[in-house]
Amino acid sequence: MTETGKVEFTVNEAGVGTISFFHPSHNSLPGALLQQLASTITQAGTHDQVKVIVLRSEGERTFCAGASFDELIAIQDKEQGLEFFSGFAKVINACRTCPKIIISRVQGKAIGGGVGVTAATDYCFATQFASVKLSEIAVGIGPFVVGPAVERKIGLSAFSQLALDATEFRSAEWAKEKGLYAEVFETVEEMDAAVEAFSLKLASYNPDALKALKEVFWQGTEHWDQLLVERAGISGTLVLSDFTRTFIQSFKKKV
């Protein structure tokens, strides 16, 4: 456990690979952690023993708080902005191109980029505490990078509601109704039992069939390598605005 956070990867005898990330600031994702998470997902996808992947975070009530405000306020030019937001693009594209099915385990709140990470997985289990919020437009940057992944999962109408109502959380049940979550459980223990049972079931299936099915799931997203980088450029420019810098400074004073 360090100030910079960590990403860990393990594989059990059944071929279930688990990728776990942690950051002391509500599992936020600074640039270095985004890079590490993306590379770990890519490596897990090439691991011969891995048949299915479970993506999870540590802690109890926050799955992922999204971008690191400390890094956002430190961005000084468009190039730095592009580099930072490209980190989220790399994580989403790593999930998209990974040949293994990825199950996400969302134990608590998902905010901003955290919603994008969840939407980039193939099947999601959550608890009743896993409310969602796309706070980006309130910050002044907009959910441009995560937008394609979220819209793909819940549709344009629900994405629009989430993107514009940027200061309010939507419940886990709302997220399930819109298709972001497959199942919502009252307790972490119930969720974990379901994650284990489902991951073991998938691990017993024909891996070639699962790979082919994943390609079908993501058909039509082949242009995302370019699209998400373009979107990262939009956010990377907007983060330099007076509006965004004033908002972040004001927010940090309250924390």
Side-chain angles (χ1 to χ4, degrees):
M1 187 180 300
T2 68
E3 289 184 0
T4 56
K6 62 180 180 179
V7 177
E8 295 180 340
F9 171 57
T10 59
V11 189
N12 66 18
E13 293 181 355
V16 178
T18 299
I19 298 173
S20 178
F21 66 91
F22 168 78
H23 192 276
S25 181
H26 306 287
N27 288 326
S28 62
L29 290 172
L33 207 58
L34 285 167
Q35 297 284 352
Q36 191 177 354
L37 184 57
S39 63
T40 302
I41 293 168
T42 299
Q43 291 168 11
T46 64
H47 199 296
D48 290 337
Q49 187 181 344
V50 174
K51 297 177 180 177
V52 62
I53 297 169
V54 174
L55 179 63
R56 56 167 291 162
S57 66
E58 297 184 12
E60 295 182 0
R61 291 296 170 87
T62 305
F63 170 71
C64 177
S68 165
F69 273 19
D70 287 336
E71 287 202 1
L72 288 180
I73 199 65
I75 294 171
Q76 297 298 319
D77 53 48
K78 293 181 181 180
E79 289 72 23
Q80 290 180 358
L82 173 63
E83 181 180 1
F84 175 77
F85 287 102
S86 290
F88 283 99
K90 289 176 181 177
V91 170
I92 292 172
N93 278 323
C95 290
R96 176 179 67 85
T97 58
C98 177
K100 312 294 172 69
I101 297 293
I102 303 176
I103 303 166
S104 53
R105 169 200 180 273
V106 184
Q107 80 280 18
K109 292 178 178 178
I111 304 166
V115 180
V117 172
T118 300
T121 63
D122 302 297
Y123 202 97
C124 184
F125 292 94
T127 71
Q128 61 178 326
F129 307 109
S131 53
V132 295
K133 179 170 69 171
L134 287 178
S135 55
E136 288 91 337
I137 198 70
V139 180
I141 52 180
F144 295 105
V145 179
V146 303
V150 178
E151 182 183 342
R152 170 184 167 272
K153 258 300 174 62
I154 68 176
L156 179 58
S157 177
F159 168 58
S160 300
Q161 294 173 34
L162 207 56
L164 292 174
D165 196 7
T167 61
E168 300 298 325
F169 278 99
R170 298 296 175 109
S171 70
E173 284 297 334
W174 182 92
K176 178 186 175 184
E177 177 187 330
K178 302 305 180 184
L180 181 63
Y181 300 152
E183 297 290 343
V184 173
F185 299 89
E186 289 189 6
T187 67
V188 171
E189 291 75 18
E190 290 174 326
M191 175 186 63
D192 283 340
V195 169
E196 181 179 12
F198 191 67
S199 60
L200 289 173
K201 185 188 297 183
L202 288 186
S204 71
Y205 293 160
N206 182 348
D208 292 331
L210 288 174
K211 180 181 177 181
L213 192 58
K214 174 146 185 176
E215 290 175 356
V216 169
F217 291 160
W218 288 91
Q219 196 168 18
T221 64
E222 294 81 7
H223 63 298
W224 281 21
D225 284 327
Q226 179 180 349
L227 173 65
L228 298 193
V229 172
E230 291 174 354
R231 294 289 188 87
I234 297 174
S235 293
T237 299
L238 288 170
V239 76
L240 299 171
S241 69
D242 291 339
F243 182 100
T244 299
R245 302 184 88 75
T246 300
F247 179 92
I248 294 175
Q249 293 284 17
S250 175
F251 179 85
K252 287 178 66 63
K253 289 178 181 177
K254 296 176 183 177
V255 177

